[in-house]
Amino acid sequence: MLLDSSHYMRRNPSPWDGKVIPGLSTLNEDVLNHLFDELQARKLLAPFSHTCREIRERCMPILFRSCTVRECLPFDEFPLPRSLWRYIKHLELVDGCYEYPLIVRAWRSGRMSHVPFPGDALTCHVYEGPALEDALHNMPGLRAVTLASSINTSHGFSLAGLRAILSVPQLEVLSVRGPALVPELLTGDVVCLDTIPALTSLQYCFAKRRPRSDAVYPSERQTIELILRQLHDTLQTLFLPVELMPFFELSTFHWPALRELRLRGEYDCLKAGCSPIISFLGNMPQLRILALELALPTDQGPTPIWPEDLLVDLPWPLLEELTVSFPVTDDAIYSNLPPTLRRLSLVCYPHYMRNLPMYTASGRWHSPLISASDVLSILRKCHLPLLTKLKLEYQEDWAEEQLLRHVGVAFPELVCLKIFRNRVWERGELPLDMIIESLSPLSRLRTFGFHPDLVDAPGSQSPSGKTLPTDDCAVHNFQETRLRPIANRIVDNWPSVEVLRFLSPKLPYHSWASYCVVRCRDRSPHVKPIPGAEEYIDLGPLFLKQAKRTGRPLDFDTNV
């Protein structure tokens, strides 16, 4: 007998029969925002917002809290509709001046005759003028502005545009990804900023292809110095190219709120007067994160952050994360690290890659490897009972087994460990059993990243002197026949590990091949690739911005 839906409803009445079905208005704001955030993360919020007017209105603050404007021509009206301005909290302005198909036609037609042709100009004149100022001052929720380039060039934002952005009184975050800030001044103009909001975060990253001769523009340096002079009391996060860091002025400022400082780029200690870095960074009592990713010029070697003969107290008693490129054994910082430290990174910047000579031997900088015995000497000075994440880069020597055994015993709270192991040229075997046995006391470890530096890796030189192929097929075969068996052996003997990552050659980059551990009752543990989890590693000043293929930012667990 066939039953229609009405019969089913009579036999199975709804619990809401005779009652008012609750709508979105019955949910409090926190729960509703959490639901919308989950939908947004799954890219489902936009279609969900089309269901009815009420839902559309409730979704608008989430849908349009972050907006991007990409323009290559000056505008008389701001590109975003005025009705959306009240929702915007983060605004990204992308310089599209080098998108030639549009800009060349506009310039030749006379629409941009008042602006220099972008092939010759240093400064972008698109984001300036009354339309931009009117829009910025009518975005009451605006808290963050990002300045970016459509391609990696040294094309920069004008002083007029920067003044318009910094005239927003409630602005908290300014991020510059690629373009230069004020690379040149107009005739008769001087670097002067009438008002600067109390920013809490300033993040500045050079374009990857900025010409070496144009590494720093005089007006750019003056602009950064002026901003820091006025903001050192309020900044909590500061990311800067080390080439722009005014070290001598820095030592005279007091930074009562600074919690995170990241310096990246080519550090010339001769230009800094050969003074130790710690002498410039002493007035930061609240600092939690210090990252010094400093490339070495070819004519200089590693230097200590804190020379052993310098009698000072640790200026960062609350430090939780430290990144040092090219550590040295005669550095007093390691014996004075606070027990609060949870993340430590001792790696080269850029990473040493024997099969990427076009980057490691560029002539601008070099990456001298530290030996395993020197790393062991450094770690023996550290007393870090709360350390949870550790990255090491070294060249194997007689002390490698002692180093790994020390790591396994001295840092029992580790949940994430990454090791860039570089073999000696004459040795080809990977002592996998020794590595697993030495690190096996780490019972809390969940993520293990490893650069095995195998002799038959794509891009390596064969015994006959030929370079092994690096095409996609060769890389895939290497991952399946060499890396995956190593991963299976590790999980067989290391029950706590849940994610394995192996550095896999893939020119012109290197990337992490990621595997998750599958544990079943009817068979031994094994690994399977994690789809879409490929990550490119940072190879130095030519590749200043790390990114996943998904476009999401990398955290400490995943970046290198």
Side-chain angles (χ1 to χ4, degrees):
M1 176 175 125
L2 297 177
L3 301 178
D4 61 12
S5 58
S6 61
H7 176 84
Y8 178 83
M9 293 301 293
R10 289 194 298 272
R11 296 290 302 274
N12 300 276
S14 168
W16 301 108
D17 282 352
K19 301 178 182 178
V20 178
I21 299 178
L24 291 178
S25 58
T26 62
L27 299 177
N28 65 49
E29 200 68 24
D30 291 340
V31 173
L32 197 59
N33 287 337
H34 179 71
L35 292 175
F36 287 165
D37 286 336
E38 288 294 324
L39 289 173
Q40 182 80 324
R42 292 170 169 79
K43 299 182 179 180
L44 298 174
L45 186 60
F48 176 67
S49 68
H50 295 159
T51 53
C52 70
R53 185 184 300 274
E54 179 190 359
I55 291 179
R56 179 71 175 177
E57 289 298 325
R58 300 296 292 270
C59 292
M60 292 284 278
I62 307 297
L63 283 172
F64 297 104
R65 63 186 173 187
S66 181
C67 293
T68 299
V69 174
R70 183 189 302 268
E71 289 293 320
C72 60
L73 298 174
F75 46 82
D76 295 326
E77 293 186 6
F78 196 70
L80 295 178
R82 183 177 290 268
S83 60
L84 301 181
W85 293 359
R86 61 193 177 102
Y87 303 118
I88 297 176
K89 295 183 178 180
H90 170 234
L91 179 64
E92 182 177 21
L93 303 177
V94 181
D95 172 18
C97 288
Y98 276 76
E99 295 175 353
Y100 280 103
L102 294 175
I103 191 69
V104 172
R105 287 198 298 269
W107 189 81
R108 289 176 177 172
S109 66
R111 292 173 59 195
M112 289 189 66
S113 57
H114 62 291
V115 177
F117 184 70
D120 302 320
L122 284 176
T123 304
C124 170
H125 296 277
V126 172
Y127 294 106
E128 59 183 45
L132 176 64
E133 296 178 12
D134 176 62
L136 293 175
H137 286 276
N138 285 280
M139 297 179 182
L142 186 63
R143 295 294 183 271
V145 172
T146 297
L147 307 179
S149 295
S150 56
I151 59 175
N152 293 307
T153 69
S154 55
H155 208 222
F157 276 77
S158 67
L159 180 60
L162 181 61
R163 283 173 175 163
I165 292 168
L166 293 181
S167 66
V168 179
Q170 75 275 13
L171 194 67
E172 297 176 357
V173 179
L174 177 62
S175 177
V176 184
R177 296 189 286 106
L181 273 183
V182 195
E184 63 179 355
L185 298 173
L186 299 177
T187 304
D189 207 351
V190 295
V191 177
C192 178
L193 300 172
D194 299 329
T195 58
I196 297 182
L199 297 180
T200 60
S201 177
L202 175 62
Q203 305 176 24
Y204 194 165
C205 181
F206 273 168
K208 300 175 187 176
R209 298 178 185 175
R210 178 182 286 215
R212 176 60 179 164
S213 59
D214 299 334
V216 176
Y217 302 101
S219 55
E220 181 183 27
R221 183 185 297 277
Q222 294 174 30
T223 302
I224 291 298
E225 290 181 4
L226 179 59
I227 292 175
L228 293 182
R229 188 176 297 116
Q230 298 193 38
L231 294 179
H232 62 88
D233 285 332
T234 62
L235 280 177
Q236 299 178 19
T237 301
L238 179 60
F239 296 4
L240 273 186
V242 71
E243 295 91 339
L244 281 175
M245 198 66 174
F247 281 105
F248 294 105
E249 292 81 358
L250 188 73
S251 60
T252 63
F253 298 155
H254 186 63
W255 307 79
L258 193 66
R259 299 172 64 91
E260 182 173 2
L261 174 64
R262 295 183 183 272
L263 301 179
R264 172 178 287 189
E266 298 178 45
Y267 176 66
D268 191 336
C269 67
L270 299 179
K271 293 182 179 179
C274 296
S275 300
I277 292 179
I278 195 172
S279 64
F280 302 122
L281 309 179
N283 299 321
M284 304 173 181
Q286 298 299 318
L287 196 67
R288 303 299 202 274
I289 299 174
L290 176 61
L292 303 173
E293 298 172 329
L294 309 179
L296 284 176
T298 52
D299 59 345
Q300 298 178 25
T303 56
I305 297 172
W306 182 350
E308 293 181 333
D309 58 353
L310 183 63
L311 302 178
V312 296
D313 295 327
L314 180 72
W316 324 295
L318 304 176
L319 198 66
E320 297 178 1
E321 178 179 329
L322 175 66
T323 299
V324 178
S325 56
F326 309 108
V328 295
T329 56
D330 57 340
D331 197 326
I333 191 172
Y334 303 110
S335 57
N336 288 279
L337 288 175
T340 56
L341 198 78
R342 296 178 179 273
R343 298 175 292 277
L344 177 64
S345 178
L346 305 176
V347 298
C348 301
Y349 180 80
H351 290 294
Y352 176 85
M353 296 294 169
R354 71 171 78 246
N355 51 351
L356 287 182
M358 59 182 175
Y359 300 123
T360 56
S362 68
R364 290 169 47 182
W365 28 258
H366 64 139
S367 297
L369 280 171
I370 186 172
S371 66
S373 53
D374 285 344
V375 176
L376 175 62
S377 175
I378 291 172
L379 292 184
R380 280 176 171 168
K381 298 179 181 179
C382 303
H383 176 65
L384 306 172
L386 302 179
L387 194 71
T388 58
K389 298 175 184 178
L390 176 65
K391 299 178 194 173
L392 301 175
E393 184 167 7
Y394 62 84
Q395 185 171 49
E396 62 161 328
D397 65 3
W398 57 270
E400 182 182 22
E401 183 173 356
Q402 297 180 40
L403 167 63
L404 298 180
R405 291 188 180 278
H406 179 77
V407 170
V409 174
F411 311 115
E413 299 297 317
L414 282 181
V415 296
C416 179
L417 173 64
K418 283 192 175 180
I419 295 177
F420 294 81
R421 179 186 186 270
N422 294 275
R423 58 180 168 82
V424 178
W425 273 105
E426 295 77 13
R427 303 178 187 174
E429 309 84 10
L430 176 67
L432 187 58
D433 293 334
M434 179 273 290
I435 293 173
I436 295 174
E437 180 185 357
S438 300
L439 297 175
S440 59
L442 298 175
S443 59
R444 296 178 180 270
L445 198 71
R446 297 294 181 266
T447 302
F448 181 47
F450 188 46
H451 172 41
D453 193 21
L454 300 176
V455 294
D456 55 348
S460 300
Q461 285 190 346
S462 66
S464 62
K466 294 182 178 180
T467 301
L468 298 178
T470 58
D471 56 90
D472 290 345
C473 182
V475 171
H476 178 75
N477 290 336
F478 174 73
Q479 292 176 353
E480 289 297 312
T481 61
R482 297 290 282 137
L483 296 185
R484 196 164 181 171
I486 292 175
N488 283 322
R489 285 181 59 188
I490 290 175
V491 300
D492 281 340
N493 298 277
W494 211 341
S496 65
V497 175
E498 297 175 353
V499 177
L500 288 164
R501 294 188 172 99
F502 293 93
L503 200 58
S504 175
K506 191 172 184 179
L507 297 181
Y509 309 98
H510 271 40
S511 61
W512 290 103
S514 299
Y515 302 89
C516 65
V517 180
V518 179
R519 304 185 189 277
C520 307
R521 293 182 179 180
D522 56 344
R523 59 175 296 186
S524 59
H526 61 282
V527 298
K528 67 176 183 179
I530 302 177
E534 187 178 50
E535 305 158 12
Y536 296 117
I537 75 164
D538 189 347
L539 292 175
L542 288 180
F543 298 92
L544 285 181
K545 185 173 181 297
Q546 301 174 347
K548 278 187 180 179
R549 283 191 168 180
T550 58
R552 293 173 293 182
L554 302 181
D555 57 17
F556 190 96
D557 286 340
T558 55
N559 77 28
V560 295

